[in-house]
Amino acid sequence: AQSVTQPDIHITVSEGASLELRCNYSYGATPYLFWYVQSPGQGLQLLLKYFSGDTLVQGIKGFEAEFKRSQSSFNLRKPSVHWSDAAEYFCAVGGPNFNKFYFGSGTKLNVKP
Amino acid sequence: DSGVTQTPKHLITATGQRVTLRCSPRSGDLSVYWYQQSLDQGLQFLIQYYNGEERAKGNILERFSAQQFPDLHSELNLSSLELGDSALYFCASSVGSGGAQDTQYFGPGTRLTVL
């Protein structure tokens, strides 16, 4: 069955510190992977996506993610966090011909000054 | 601002009632998707319409229905409301007919509270 696991419900980092948000997926075929961010009171915004090719994907706002097939992971990283990055982050998986996404339960990021 | 608009922003109603949520996609987008985000279920895909026709169905209850009109706006109808239907309902739109390569742009959501 398809599923996405985000093991960390809450993460707190200091401003300027590096960030890594974990995502593990279960998918029966070649996965298409996504990271979205949801700021308070806002809808979801796509940060980056992976379909094929280079396993290190660059996104907006300085984020990147690395696809590791052997570990069924697609972790999101940022070298230096800004206070404006405080939000909830969702990992999602889908397939090429399906119009459904399976979302993880989200990770809330808190940034300390 | 994604270009997707949803009305109303907030809706408070009673159990057993019926409500309609409205979504206007980005200019040029042909697909509209509906999602429900609740504390216990997380974010779930409900249904997709493409150019007026139902394209894909997710975890949508029989009490819920949707349609997409010729001008491409969409409405999600929720009937016989229960307390558990309280959630944030998102609409998203995309240019194409769907699939993972078709980027979805999300609206700000409608928060439904059922009392």
Side-chain angles (χ1 to χ4, degrees), chain A residues 14-89:
Chain A
S14 297
E15 190 167 17
S18 64
L19 171 70
E20 182 168 24
L21 302 183
R22 295 183 290 164
C23 172
N24 292 96
Y25 67 90
S26 173
Y27 199 76
T30 301
Y32 286 50
L33 296 156
F34 306 81
W35 275 100
Y36 285 87
V37 60
Q38 184 179 22
S39 298
Q42 303 293 317
L44 280 76
Q45 181 183 23
L46 180 67
L47 284 176
L48 47 79
K49 55 189 176 183
Y50 171 77
F51 295 152
S52 63
D54 192 348
T55 56
L56 186 62
V57 181
Q58 302 297 321
I60 62 171
K61 304 185 179 187
F63 285 92
E64 65 178 27
E66 186 171 12
F67 171 58
K68 293 185 178 179
R69 184 185 297 275
S70 61
Q71 298 176 21
S72 297
S73 70
F74 189 57
N75 293 349
L76 182 72
R77 300 194 295 247
K78 187 170 184 178
S80 177
V81 170
H82 187 261
W83 64 265
S84 61
D85 294 324
E88 190 160 17
Y89 292 80

Side-chain angles (χ1 to χ4, degrees), chain B residues 34-95:
Chain B
W34 287 98
Y35 292 85
Q36 178 195 59
Q37 186 178 38
S38 62
L39 286 175
D40 54 346
Q41 298 287 331
L43 190 59
Q44 294 192 96
F45 166 75
L46 295 179
I47 196 165
Q48 178 208 358
Y49 277 81
Y50 171 69
N51 207 20
E53 297 199 359
E54 183 182 306
R55 181 79 174 177
K57 198 175 255 192
N59 299 322
I60 189 166
L61 299 172
E62 286 192 11
R63 299 183 286 109
F64 296 0
S65 65
Q67 55 184 326
Q68 187 179 29
F69 294 87
D71 68 352
L72 301 177
H73 89 272
S74 178
E75 292 180 356
L76 179 67
N77 300 296
L78 315 176
S79 62
S80 302
L81 285 168
E82 303 174 358
L83 295 177
D85 297 328
S86 295
L88 196 51
Y89 290 85
F90 286 109
C91 166
S93 72
S94 69
V95 170

